[in-house]
Amino acid sequence: MTSLSDTTKLSASARDFIDEGFFHGLIAQPFDRGAFREALAKSMAKEALSVEETAALLAAEGADEVETLFDSARRLKRDVYGNRIVLFAPLYLGNECVNDCAYCAFRRSNREVVRRTLAPEDIRAQVEVLVDKGHKRLILVFGEHPRYDAEFIGRCVRQVYAIRSGHGEIRRVNINAAPLDHEGFATVKEAGIGTYQVFQETYHHGTYRAVHGQNTRKGDYSWRLDALARAMEAGCDDVGIGALFGLYDWRFETLGLVAHALHLQKHYGVGPHTISFPRLRPAQGVSLDDTYKVGDPEFKRLVAILRLAVPYTGMILTAREPPALRREVMAFGVSQIDAGTRIELGGYTEGGPEQAVDREQFHIGDVRPLDDVMRDLLTDGYIPSFCTACYRLGRTGEHFMEFAIPGFIQNLCTPNALTTLHEYLVDYASPETREAGRRLIRDELAKLPEGPRKTELIDRLRRIEETEERDLYL
Ligand code: SF4
Ligand code: SF4
């Protein structure tokens, strides 16, 4: 694995595991009904798929087979995750950037964008507004710039955790920032981060070079591909991978994501916590080449296939997508969404009804406030959850335990989802959302078996309703 960087700083597992000839050969193979059925059976047994098995699902194009994929993904999602959906909000902290990514409004050659890094008092103002809306989980987003080093990121994380407003506070801070070295990852881990996300954007080498250039930090494909392995070696075992769909063939990118997940699983015994699959969006000063544009039908297929390929990896669907499509693909296996999202620097306090195009990275498709998203989820029968219990109790490997320990979801995740939902209803919800939420909690309680666990949960819900007590996690 060659790298512009000092190779001694790469991980012990550093290797270019993206075999383009192999991937293209798999993509060119005709549909094989036997291989399709075998791959589906393995998914439904909740086993992760190999790259070859994922390709067998990608080859399915007939209407019946595609419907089978959707049905299987819906069933797997229900079996593995139940009806919980975790909510978060992104907070852009700085858009200075030394890179020149062709698809991004923050690229260094874009002179029209307003450059800004939030000062501590700006961060406080943004976080207080988010807390006052009911958020408990944030992802902090940074451009790639020497001033956004690990110490800076760590300081921001600590500041966010320290902010209190009313009954609320942010309980989990995730990061989306440039790849760090081992020491950098150890520093941000020390600050208490949740997930560290680094998206490869495209796994195709030629496209990667074309959109990132070679004389930029981001132009170093290998340094980026190896980033999350370094993170794991430095103690950040909670990492998120992603690809920006629309830069290259969506089938290739899907295989790349699966190969990346398998690589981490093989070398570190744990796969990525989350997979993200944003599609290219229009952005200020960006002219998009639509050769590889991913239409809605293909997007739905790729979401369903990812669900089936990595049954135990959380999947994040962002507000880039419009509400109707979000609603549809959520059922295929999405476990986390953002809501009430503003992606302009300072947008949570300074934004008007229109997005400030000179301060945002791209245009978003879902601009509904958190309360509207909550109400729609509740009406559709989902339990919106702000749970952060495992992370806060030091139950490391949370993602593993959730699925590996019998009854974990029923005994811990569902009660924690319901208490965090109840906090939202009592402290932040509109009357209509409160009513929809109370109905859902009643229905969910009726489904739980009688016993001390249920009695304890009912008591916690009462304490949230009648007292100032909050954050009553199990
Ligand atoms: Fe910078 Fe990230 Fe935008 Fe690239 S995608 S120009 S690294 S902010
Ligand atoms: Fe996640 Fe743990 Fe909460 Fe379950 S109890 S939703 S695994 S944090």
Side-chain angles (χ1 to χ4, degrees):
M1 187 166 182
T2 56
S3 170
L4 293 178
S5 52
D6 177 354
T7 49
T8 60
K9 289 188 177 169
L10 292 175
S11 74
S13 69
R15 168 175 89 75
D16 189 345
F17 48 84
I18 301 299
D19 182 341
E20 291 192 5
F22 178 55
F23 281 17
H24 281 130
L26 289 174
I27 291 167
Q29 278 179 5
F31 177 63
D32 176 336
R33 189 168 302 281
F36 176 75
R37 287 207 181 116
E38 272 175 37
L40 267 188
K42 199 170 161 190
S43 297
M44 298 318 281
K46 302 179 188 137
E47 282 181 56
L49 300 187
S50 66
V51 169
E52 293 91 326
E53 289 159 342
T54 307
L57 301 185
L58 287 168
E61 296 196 318
D64 287 351
E65 286 77 28
V66 169
E67 203 39 57
T68 303
L69 284 176
F70 292 168
D71 267 358
S72 307
R74 279 191 209 103
R75 267 191 291 142
L76 192 63
K77 144 93 176 155
R78 268 198 308 270
D79 285 1
V80 174
Y81 288 92
N83 55 347
R84 287 171 300 129
I85 291 278
V86 168
L87 288 137
F88 69 95
L91 176 58
Y92 279 67
L93 289 197
N95 67 353
E96 301 278 353
C97 195
V98 295
N99 293 318
D100 209 31
C101 309
Y103 47 81
C104 177
F106 293 165
R107 69 189 188 283
R108 70 177 181 221
S109 60
N110 186 2
R111 305 267 173 248
E112 295 163 46
V113 80
V114 175
R115 302 285 165 184
R116 182 170 173 195
T117 300
L118 297 191
E121 57 274 21
D122 300 326
I123 296 177
R124 167 168 292 282
Q126 299 295 302
V127 172
E128 283 177 352
V129 165
L130 285 160
V131 168
D132 290 346
K133 287 186 190 306
H135 280 291
K136 300 285 188 280
R137 290 173 169 251
L138 295 187
I139 181 155
L140 308 185
V141 185
F142 302 81
E144 181 159 3
H145 193 275
R147 67 189 292 191
Y148 308 146
D149 60 10
E151 276 75 27
F152 180 85
I153 294 173
R155 271 200 305 282
C156 294
V157 170
R158 288 196 172 88
Q159 190 199 348
V160 171
Y161 278 131
I163 295 169
R164 301 273 178 282
S165 185
H167 282 137
E169 69 279 305
I170 296 301
R171 300 174 184 166
R172 181 170 170 120
V173 180
N174 298 329
I175 300 294
N176 180 307
L180 302 172
D181 58 15
H182 286 89
E183 293 74 32
F185 280 120
T187 300
V188 294
K189 174 71 183 172
E190 180 67 30
I193 63 158
T195 309
Y196 199 99
Q197 285 185 346
V198 175
F199 299 166
Q200 190 64 20
E201 318 292 11
T202 173
Y203 287 92
H204 183 254
H205 299 79
T207 306
Y208 191 92
R209 269 195 303 279
V211 296
H212 297 121
Q214 278 178 302
N215 297 320
T216 60
R217 190 61 168 167
K218 193 155 174 180
D220 189 342
Y221 182 102
S222 305
W223 176 251
R224 198 167 183 89
L225 192 65
D226 185 55
L228 297 174
R230 294 193 300 278
M232 290 213 171
E233 289 177 356
C236 298
D237 56 0
D238 190 336
V239 300
I241 62 173
L244 180 52
F245 280 85
L247 294 176
Y248 190 62
D249 185 335
W250 65 274
R251 297 173 184 83
F252 188 100
E253 306 294 16
T254 305
L255 296 180
L257 287 168
V258 171
H260 201 163
L262 291 170
H263 177 80
L264 294 172
Q265 175 77 44
K266 176 175 164 196
H267 292 279
Y268 302 97
V270 50
H273 188 132
T274 55
I275 290 191
S276 300
F277 34 88
R279 278 193 291 185
L280 263 182
R281 294 280 303 163
Q284 188 230 27
V286 170
S287 56
L288 298 178
D289 171 355
D290 61 5
T291 309
Y292 293 109
K293 185 173 179 189
V294 181
D296 290 352
E298 291 76 31
F299 185 66
K300 289 189 232 169
R301 277 168 66 197
L302 80 87
V303 176
I305 290 169
L306 279 173
R307 171 70 301 142
L308 293 165
V310 287
Y312 292 124
T313 302
M315 291 183 35
I316 300 179
L317 177 68
T318 70
R320 284 177 183 245
E321 302 299 339
L325 188 72
R326 287 185 108 188
R327 186 177 187 195
E328 199 178 346
V329 297
M330 208 146 33
F332 298 159
V334 169
S335 51
Q336 292 190 31
I337 61 169
D338 55 336
T341 296
R342 305 293 304 220
I343 59 168
E344 321 91 284
L345 274 290
Y348 291 110
T349 56
E350 300 161 21
E354 295 302 320
Q355 295 168 308
V357 293
D358 58 349
R359 282 184 291 153
E360 64 179 14
Q361 191 181 21
F362 51 85
H363 305 326
I364 59 174
D366 185 352
V367 294
R368 289 174 296 165
L370 174 62
D371 193 70
D372 290 10
V373 174
M374 293 289 287
R375 192 164 58 250
D376 288 351
L377 287 172
L378 291 162
T379 309
D380 286 346
Y382 290 105
I383 311 177
S385 173
F386 296 93
C387 178
T388 55
C390 289
Y391 169 67
R392 313 211 18 265
L393 283 168
R395 284 197 294 245
T396 53
E398 103 182 38
H399 191 56
F400 172 73
M401 285 193 297
E402 183 174 3
F403 305 115
I405 298 178
F408 195 92
I409 290 181
Q410 181 173 307
N411 288 328
L412 295 173
C413 301
T414 302
N416 284 332
L418 293 176
T419 48
T420 57
L421 168 61
H422 197 54
E423 283 186 8
Y424 178 83
L425 300 178
V426 172
D427 291 335
Y428 308 105
S430 65
E432 303 77 38
T433 304
R434 193 171 296 140
E435 186 45 42
R438 288 190 194 286
R439 255 198 316 272
L440 183 118
I441 290 176
R442 272 198 302 275
D443 293 349
E444 292 296 325
L445 282 175
K447 286 187 221 160
L448 290 178
E450 298 302 327
R453 186 63 85 179
K454 181 168 173 178
T455 309
E456 172 68 22
L457 172 59
I458 292 171
D459 183 58
R460 284 170 185 239
L461 294 172
R462 181 194 57 75
R463 282 154 61 196
I464 292 167
E465 183 85 34
E466 296 174 3
T467 75
E468 303 283 301
E469 281 188 274
R470 297 292 181 271
D471 210 8
L472 300 172
Y473 49 83
L474 295 161

